[in-house]
Amino acid sequence: MEAMEDDSAELKDDHNHNYCGGGAKVRAELSGQAPDGMSAAQPVCAPLPAKRQGQPWSGSPCGSKFMDSDTGSESSEVSETDCAAANAEEKPSLDSTPKFLLNAMAVEDYRKNHWPNLEEAIDRLLIQNLSDHISVSYAQIYGYVYKCVCQQHSELLYGDLTSKITAHLLQVATQLQASPPENLIENFNVALTQYLASLQCIVPVFIYLNKFYIESKLNRDLKEDLMKLFADHVAEKHLSKLMPLLIKAHSMPFQVQPSTMASVVKGLYSLRPEWAQLAPALFSSFIPQIHPPAVESRLPDYADHDRKLQMELSMNGFPRGDQSRKRASEDS
């Protein structure tokens, strides 16, 4: 009976397909004692292979913990069944294709099947009008993004996403460049409002990319990155023309719709708060706490500013009216 047990222990599989001979030798090595005729320092089993990047040591391709595909760090728990299904084609085997070839095939699959569908959806979201009702399957986009992250395409996806949106913003900047000065404020407001509406759709469906790559590896946030793209490629290029127009419109009430003025000024402040220092009087009319807190010693200055403002309004056709008149209901 002991002979049969020794024979059955001659071949052991350590679950990583590393076959080790000599069960008695293994047990002796683990116990710190070498069998007769064998040095204790002699290896009895080939070393385990290095851990595959982006995968835990558990038996499944993704395990019970979701691993960041680019950092290899444990990020959050997700469904083992879902992630295993997404990576079914990447399950290693003894006769598998070399790793570099598998990676090339995976990238080709991303380029042919995943990114084209995402690119089309992003195009439709970026060019939508507020009154349009575009049929876009957000669940389908979310699924593509989730699978790309599981298949270690986070860096590719982030690069394609930002490149796509940058190209769109360059077109927007070119269109605004051709806008006449009297329409620049209104056209800029339309471009900014449309872009912000698009981000409300794009950012949520890319939540997995944001959580498991942008936040964990780049230490940034997707929405902040996309807002910065608009500031760099659109707002900053037109700021030198836009700011004087805003200051002039602010000095002439109702030359531009108040809602448009408020939208543009608040939008510029959300893009880069330091731009408020270029025109504090303008920004303080729409955003609180631009100026330092009021102090008692400057009360006469504040009163003088109010008198000047009332005079400007009166000169521009906005009289205060006759305050001595009775209300209509009291005439009878």
Side-chain angles (χ1 to χ4, degrees):
M1 179 66 70
E2 294 179 357
M4 294 178 63
E5 291 178 354
D6 290 340
D7 292 339
S8 64
E10 285 298 311
L11 191 61
K12 294 289 184 179
D13 184 354
D14 66 352
H15 303 289
N16 285 293
H17 305 295
N18 298 308
Y19 292 90
C20 306
K25 296 178 182 179
V26 173
R27 289 191 295 272
E29 180 70 7
L30 294 175
S31 63
Q33 299 177 356
D36 295 338
M38 177 180 177
S39 172
Q42 180 179 353
V44 295
C45 182
L48 293 174
K51 178 182 176 183
R52 290 186 63 191
Q53 183 178 5
Q55 293 189 359
W57 284 115
S58 61
S60 65
C62 286
S64 60
K65 299 285 187 180
F66 184 84
M67 307 298 293
D68 188 296
S69 58
D70 297 274
T71 63
S73 61
E74 183 179 289
S75 299
S76 177
E77 292 187 4
V78 296
S79 169
E80 180 178 351
T81 303
D82 293 344
C83 200
N87 289 337
E89 66 274 10
E90 297 182 0
K91 186 175 181 180
S93 61
L94 289 176
D95 57 347
S96 60
T97 311
K99 185 177 180 180
F100 72 90
L101 183 56
L102 285 176
N103 289 339
M105 293 171 62
V107 171
E108 184 180 1
D109 180 62
Y110 164 82
R111 292 294 182 196
K112 288 185 176 180
N113 299 321
H114 298 331
W115 174 244
N117 293 301
L118 289 171
E119 183 179 27
E120 181 181 0
I122 294 169
D123 273 332
R124 300 181 69 182
L125 292 174
L126 287 173
I127 64 175
Q128 65 175 322
N129 295 320
L130 297 179
S131 59
D132 291 344
H133 299 281
I134 299 178
S135 176
V136 176
S137 174
Y138 294 100
Q140 189 176 25
I141 303 174
Y142 183 91
Y144 282 127
V145 174
Y146 177 81
K147 191 170 184 179
C148 287
V149 173
C150 281
Q151 292 183 346
Q152 305 182 16
H153 298 318
S154 298
E155 185 175 359
L156 277 174
L157 182 58
Y158 177 73
D160 287 338
L161 174 63
T162 52
S163 297
K164 182 67 182 178
I165 293 181
T166 298
H168 167 75
L169 292 177
L170 291 175
Q171 294 180 357
V172 172
T174 301
Q175 293 172 359
L176 288 176
Q177 194 72 33
S179 178
E182 62 271 15
N183 296 332
L184 182 58
I185 295 177
E186 181 66 33
N187 292 341
F188 182 86
N189 180 57
V190 171
L192 177 60
T193 303
Q194 181 175 330
Y195 184 71
L196 294 177
S198 300
L199 293 192
Q200 291 180 357
C201 302
I202 293 173
V203 172
V205 296
F206 281 85
I207 186 173
Y208 266 91
L209 178 68
N210 187 43
K211 184 174 183 180
F212 296 120
Y213 177 71
I214 302 175
E215 288 184 354
S216 63
K217 184 172 182 179
L218 305 181
N219 296 319
R220 297 202 302 266
D221 178 75
L222 177 59
K223 184 175 181 179
E224 293 177 0
D225 283 1
L226 299 183
M227 290 287 285
K228 185 177 184 300
L229 291 179
F230 190 93
D232 292 343
H233 299 292
V234 180
E236 189 170 24
K237 290 183 177 181
H238 296 86
L239 191 65
S240 60
K241 294 181 179 179
L242 189 62
M243 195 63 68
L245 293 173
L246 289 170
I247 295 174
K248 181 180 179 182
H250 183 248
S251 65
M252 303 175 64
F254 296 96
Q255 181 182 13
V256 178
Q257 289 292 329
S259 59
T260 301
M261 287 287 296
S263 176
V264 172
V265 173
K266 291 179 179 179
L268 291 174
Y269 185 79
S270 66
L271 292 172
R272 289 188 184 169
E274 60 268 24
W275 283 343
Q277 302 306 317
L278 300 176
L282 170 66
F283 281 81
S284 63
S285 299
F286 302 95
I287 301 171
Q289 299 181 349
I290 295 296
H291 289 302
V295 293
E296 185 177 358
S297 60
R298 294 197 58 192
L299 287 178
D301 295 334
Y302 303 148
D304 185 59
H305 178 270
D306 288 342
R307 282 193 296 270
K308 290 181 178 179
L309 178 61
Q310 292 176 8
M311 185 177 297
E312 289 177 359
L313 290 173
S314 178
M315 293 176 62
N316 284 278
F318 297 93
R320 297 181 61 189
D322 186 359
Q323 301 296 320
S324 63
R325 293 183 59 186
K326 294 182 179 180
R327 291 178 297 179
S329 58
E330 295 180 355
D331 291 343
S332 55

